[in-house]
Each structure stands twice: as structure tokens, then as C-alpha cells.
Amino acid sequence: MFKRYDQKQQFLLPFNLEEFVPENHIARVLNDIIDVIDINSIESTYSEEGCPAYHPRLLLKILLYGYLINIRSSRKIEQMTQTDTAFMYLAAMQKPDFHTICRFRSTHLGPIKEIFSQVVTFCKEMDLIGSSISIDGTKVKANASPRQSKSSDALEKEIDKILKESIETDKHEDEIYGDSTPYQIPEELVDKKKRLEKIKAAKKKLDEEKLKKVNITDNDARIMKHKDGSKKPSYNCQVAVDEKEQIIVAADVVNEENDLHQMEPMIQNVKNTLGYKPTIVLADAGYFSYDNVEFLLNEEIDAYIPDNFYEVEKRGKSKKFRKSLFTYDEKKDCYYCPAAFEIPFTRIQKRKEETDLRYYVCSYCSFCVLKNACTESENRTISRDPREHLMEDMRAKLNTEEGTEQYQNRMCTVEPVFGQMKQDRGFREFLLRGKRKTKIEFVMMCTVHNISKIADFMKREGKKLKEILNMITGRGNECGNRWESVAGMAHNL
């Protein structure tokens, strides 16, 4: 015997949308959160005239849910609203076309950042955020081919080539049509004119920013080296992740390959989102600089950031005596080498836009028994930055039991976040082009990451999300007034 199987059966009562997804489905979590966030900044961009538009909450829900389950294509999302019950539930059986979905995603950077901030505020109110954050960056390939990254000379040659081909096309048309004009411009000429515009725009950007190369398809992308050694037009995606539940509390997209200049902007980003600065900051060696360490000290933030040579020297991998084996005497302004010889101050090296370096040269190397293990040069030279004590203090802190434990927490805080984005949600390449639009895409990815963390928390604790959200937002009582002020702060980010 089998259960009845009839694809043509009719139902006496219509379906309820609530029956489309299970009670514990993550689409419900996303739905409940987007239902209570403030989207006035999006609604204000719509006109009351003309044909009624799809509700922005609908578009937000299906876009974010798509990012959550590794579907980012607007065409694919359109298809899913017709075939997938979770999308049908979120869209209330409406079917916006892919043009509408794509246009909505491309035009709302400010509001998308506000929504991210409001979701972070929900996390804070649920006590999912602590006081220790890890900052890191990951390279994500731009929607552009490496072959389209060209130097100034290559761009000039292509401009000349297209102009020459255009002149030849004009001559050919003159021979055929004379003074008359065909109704339609040849398609190949239209394409060349569009490409010429792109190349000229790329050439302008290359000259203005004094770049070696620029990508014609995405002028804002830069060639960056990835972990596998490949070099691609990419963006550097920055996140600040809280240690407690791996909530992303700040996110940004930059086109600098190096992380060196991202510490201060990310700390400010965290302060803007949370309303306060973190107590502890963890970051890898890519963020170490004397400027960054000084900034964090001035902010009274307890930082754990190794310098570029910390791990090398700690593991003893250097071929010659490490600088850390030389003892600095501040009173005499000299170094003492492992053989106990005094290395006096010798000269100053001037540097542009940086503090001068002090050089110390040993005069005893020629008869030192340790010379072969120390240097291949005639004399061992040691350089010292006036702020080098900051590095020494940081190393001393990292070498403590507490410092080692704190820094190890970074690996299990921020690294899994990038793994979940790239492996679980397939976020290895941007769909959108240009720095402004890629920021929209990345902030959306960070938003759905936080929503998934909320879902995990609710499932683990066995709590009702709607009740918690109603308590946070208040729905008209004192809590509600507080939430309105929080949402208002988000508008100013």
C-alpha cells in the first residue's frame, strides 16, 4: 500500500504562507528581524506617483536570504521566488523581476549599512557581544578579468587602435552610403565606442592616482596577491569580529592590498556601530606599525599585534644573530652584542614622512669569534627607530602567558568567519563592480552572517525571537523610544 499520490488534487481551503517553511527555519529568523528594523531611509527614496513599487522589506528579505544560502544572482533569485517555498514565503508570493532586484541592490549603500548596524544593535541587546575584537582582512576577487588590467602605454595603444578602426569604418560607410545615413549604427562600432569610453575612463584614473596598472572593467579594483600565490584584480575586505559569538561589528571594503592603514578606520567603524570602543583588539602582523600601536595606546585599548619579524625570531629561523639578541642601553645610547662588545651610535639616516633612523656600527667584528654567526658584512650594523620601544613592549606582552592566550583567540574568532563566507556561502568573487557597489555586497554578506549567528543562538537557547525583538524595539513603550534613537544614530553612519 502507498500513500495517495495525486498531482492534480484540488484543495478546499487555500494555503497559509506560514505553512511554507518549518517553525525553526532560518528564513523565519531573517523575516522577523527585517520586519522590525527601521527602513525609513529606503522608503523615502520612493515616489508616491506612478505604479506602486514592490515593498523594500520584500526585496531586502529575498536578497539577504539569497546571500545566506549562496544565491546572489538576481536572475536566480527571481527564479527562486517562483519555485522555492522559503522565497515564496518571504516574498508573499510576489515575483519581482531580476531588473528590480538588481537595481534595488545597486542603489542603497547607505541604508544597507544602517540595516547592518541595526542588526549589530540587536546582537548587543541580546548580549551576544563582548569587549574583545579581532580585526582581519581577506582578498576577494573583483568582477573583472586580470587580462583587462593594463598599463598607461597599453591603454594608449588600444585607444589609438580603436580610433584607427573607427576612422576606417567611417571611410567604408562613406563609400557605401555617401551623404546618406543608415537607420542603425553598426553593432561592432557601438561596442568599440563603449569600450573606448571605458578605456579613457581607466586612463584618466590611472593618471590621476599615479597607478602602474588599472583594470578597464572595474577601475576601482587593484591587482592583489592571494594566499594561493595568484594575482587577480581584487578588493581587500575588512572585518572586526567580536570574540563572544563571532558577531561582525564592523565591515569595510578597500582597494589597498596592505592592511597597514586599516586599523584606525576600523576602530572608528566599531565605535560608530557599537557606540563605544573595544577593550581588547587582536590583529596579525599586517596591522603592526608604530603609528597603529601609538593610536591604540592613546585610545587606551589593550592591543595584541605582533610585528613582521616576531614569529621568525621566536622560532629562531633567522640565519644570523637576531636583533633581539642585542641589548640596548638607553643611558649610553649603545647596543651590546652577544659577545658583549659595545656597539656605539654612529650616524642618523633621514627619512621622508617618517622619523629618522639611528645607526650603530660595531668595530670589533674583525677579531670576534662569533662573526660568522653574526654577519657576512665587514661590520655588524644595527638600526633603531626612536619608537622601537613600542615593538619591544608589545613583544614582551605577547610573550607572557596571558598574551599568548589572548593572541591565540584571534585564530578561532575571525578566521572561521572568512571560512563561512567563502566556503559555506561561496563568496569568492564580487558580482557588482566599483568600490561603492562592492561595499553594498560585502555589508550584505556580513549582515546575513550576523543573522545566522542570531539563529544559532536562538536555537541553542530555545528562545522565541519575536518576543525578544518586541522587547528590544518596545513597539511604542519606553523601549520603543530607545530603539528609535538607536535607529536614528544608524542613519548618521
Side-chain angles (χ1 to χ4, degrees):
M1 293 294 292
F2 298 101
K3 291 184 178 181
R4 185 186 175 196
Y5 176 65
D6 183 0
Q7 291 177 294
K8 296 180 179 179
Q9 63 181 305
Q10 295 184 359
F11 298 93
L12 295 176
L13 297 174
F15 277 118
N16 185 332
L17 279 174
E18 291 289 333
E19 298 174 3
F20 275 40
V21 292
E23 190 66 34
N24 62 348
H25 199 283
I26 195 169
R28 287 184 179 271
V29 176
L30 187 150
N31 184 74
D32 292 345
I33 291 173
I34 302 303
D35 271 345
V36 298
I37 61 172
D38 180 0
I39 60 167
N40 285 332
S41 56
I42 297 181
E43 291 178 343
S44 63
T45 63
Y46 286 81
S47 172
E48 294 183 1
E49 299 177 358
C51 180
Y54 287 101
H55 202 290
R57 289 194 196 274
L58 181 163
L59 295 170
L60 273 173
K61 288 176 184 178
I62 61 175
L63 264 171
L64 290 172
Y65 184 66
Y67 274 69
L68 187 64
I69 63 169
N70 193 11
I71 296 176
R72 292 183 289 146
S73 163
S74 53
R75 287 175 171 82
K76 182 66 174 176
I77 291 174
E78 176 190 355
Q79 178 191 351
M80 296 301 279
T81 59
Q82 303 173 41
T83 60
D84 185 272
T85 54
F87 277 96
M88 291 177 182
Y89 163 73
L90 294 171
M93 299 301 292
Q94 296 181 44
K95 302 175 179 65
D97 62 75
F98 73 89
H99 290 295
T100 302
I101 297 168
C102 186
R103 186 166 55 249
F104 179 86
R105 173 171 52 188
S106 301
T107 55
H108 292 294
L109 172 60
I112 292 294
K113 289 174 68 178
E114 292 171 20
I115 290 163
F116 167 77
S117 298
Q118 290 183 58
V119 172
V120 171
T121 302
F122 283 140
C123 295
K124 184 170 67 172
E125 294 289 335
M126 293 179 192
D127 197 28
L128 302 183
I129 294 175
S131 58
S132 173
I133 65 165
S134 295
I135 296 175
D136 204 356
T138 188
K139 309 296 190 300
V140 178
K141 184 182 177 300
N143 185 0
S145 168
R147 289 176 294 181
Q148 295 301 315
S149 294
K150 301 192 176 184
S151 64
S152 181
D153 290 343
L155 291 175
E156 288 283 5
K157 287 178 181 178
E158 188 154 359
I159 289 172
D160 292 341
K161 180 183 176 183
I162 291 175
L163 289 175
K164 184 179 178 181
E165 289 175 352
S166 298
I167 292 170
E168 290 175 355
T169 302
D170 287 338
K171 284 182 179 179
H172 180 64
E173 287 182 351
D174 287 342
E175 292 174 1
I176 297 174
Y177 303 110
D179 293 332
S180 62
T181 303
Y183 289 106
Q184 189 173 1
I185 300 173
E187 188 176 334
E188 66 273 12
L189 188 57
V190 174
D191 291 340
K192 284 176 183 174
K193 285 183 176 179
K194 287 180 180 178
R195 181 164 178 80
L196 182 60
E197 290 172 4
K198 285 185 177 182
I199 294 171
K200 285 182 176 179
K203 178 72 166 63
K204 182 180 178 183
K205 193 172 190 73
L206 185 143
D207 293 339
E208 288 177 349
E209 299 186 16
K210 298 179 180 179
L211 303 171
K212 291 182 179 179
K213 283 187 175 183
V214 69
N215 193 277
I216 298 171
T217 310
D218 186 346
N219 297 169
D220 291 335
R222 298 288 177 269
I223 295 293
M224 298 183 186
K225 188 175 182 179
H226 289 240
K227 284 188 176 180
D228 61 1
S230 62
K231 293 184 178 181
K232 310 167 188 174
S234 307
Y235 288 95
N236 187 351
C237 298
Q238 298 281 312
V239 294
V241 182
D242 184 79
E243 180 185 346
K244 194 171 185 179
E245 293 286 346
Q246 294 181 353
I247 300 295
I248 300 174
V249 295
D252 199 7
V253 173
V254 298
N255 54 11
E256 288 185 47
E257 183 175 10
N258 198 300
D259 295 327
L260 199 62
H261 301 114
Q262 305 313 318
M263 177 58 72
E264 190 169 345
M266 286 303 292
I267 294 296
Q268 189 59 49
N269 203 333
V270 172
K271 289 162 71 174
N272 289 342
T273 306
L274 292 179
Y276 57 83
K277 61 188 176 187
T279 304
I280 299 171
V281 167
L282 314 172
D284 63 23
Y287 292 86
F288 184 90
S289 72
Y290 296 134
D291 287 340
N292 286 342
V293 175
E294 276 191 329
F295 164 74
L296 292 166
L297 284 171
N298 292 335
E299 288 285 317
E300 298 180 341
I301 295 173
D302 189 17
Y304 296 84
I305 312 172
D307 59 88
N308 287 317
F309 297 101
Y310 173 73
E311 289 294 335
V312 174
E313 296 197 3
K314 187 177 179 181
R315 294 171 184 171
K317 289 187 176 181
S318 51
K319 294 179 180 179
K320 300 298 180 182
F321 283 158
R322 307 185 301 276
K323 185 178 177 180
S324 58
L325 296 176
F326 292 73
T327 306
Y328 179 67
D329 187 324
E330 189 173 358
K331 289 183 179 179
K332 295 184 68 174
D333 189 22
C334 71
Y335 276 91
Y336 289 97
C337 73
F341 289 117
E342 181 180 319
I343 307 177
F345 165 71
T346 306
R347 61 186 173 86
I348 289 177
Q349 178 185 327
K350 297 286 184 180
R351 295 191 295 178
K352 288 183 179 180
E353 300 178 359
E354 288 189 62
T355 54
D356 298 338
L357 279 179
R358 299 177 68 80
Y359 275 84
Y360 304 77
V361 181
C362 182
S363 56
Y364 302 100
C365 294
S366 58
F367 51 83
C368 180
V369 295
L370 300 178
K371 183 179 185 301
N372 290 337
C374 183
T375 182
E376 293 178 359
S377 303
E378 186 177 345
N379 300 99
R380 177 65 186 256
T381 300
I382 301 287
S383 63
R384 184 174 182 84
D385 189 291
R387 297 181 291 177
E388 202 158 309
H389 64 279
L390 296 173
M391 179 186 69
E392 293 166 349
D393 292 344
M394 181 65 73
R395 285 186 173 187
K397 184 164 68 169
L398 286 166
N399 285 332
T400 63
E401 186 176 339
E402 181 188 356
T404 301
E405 185 180 347
Q406 284 282 9
Y407 188 68
Q408 285 176 345
N409 290 336
R410 188 193 72 84
M411 297 294 290
C412 54
T413 298
V414 69
E415 295 294 341
V417 171
F418 290 140
Q420 289 157 17
M421 281 187 182
K422 291 187 171 183
Q423 190 65 33
D424 298 347
R425 301 191 180 101
F427 187 61
R428 299 180 182 276
E429 181 175 347
F430 284 103
L431 288 181
L432 306 181
R433 294 170 180 168
K435 194 174 175 181
R436 189 186 70 82
K437 290 183 179 180
T438 52
K439 276 189 180 183
I440 295 176
E441 198 168 356
F442 186 60
V443 171
M444 288 178 68
M445 185 60 68
C446 293
T447 301
V448 300
H449 169 85
N450 288 345
I451 290 174
S452 72
K453 291 299 177 183
I454 292 175
D456 291 342
F457 172 76
M458 302 309 297
K459 186 177 181 180
R460 189 171 68 242
E461 298 295 322
K463 295 181 178 180
K464 299 287 185 181
L465 180 60
K466 278 189 177 180
E467 293 176 7
I468 295 176
L469 292 175
N470 286 337
M471 186 173 64
I472 293 172
T473 58
R475 301 289 179 152
N477 58 22
E478 293 178 2
C479 256
N481 294 333
R482 182 183 64 176
W483 177 251
E484 286 175 11
S485 66
V486 168
M489 287 173 59
H491 286 312
N492 297 323
L493 293 179

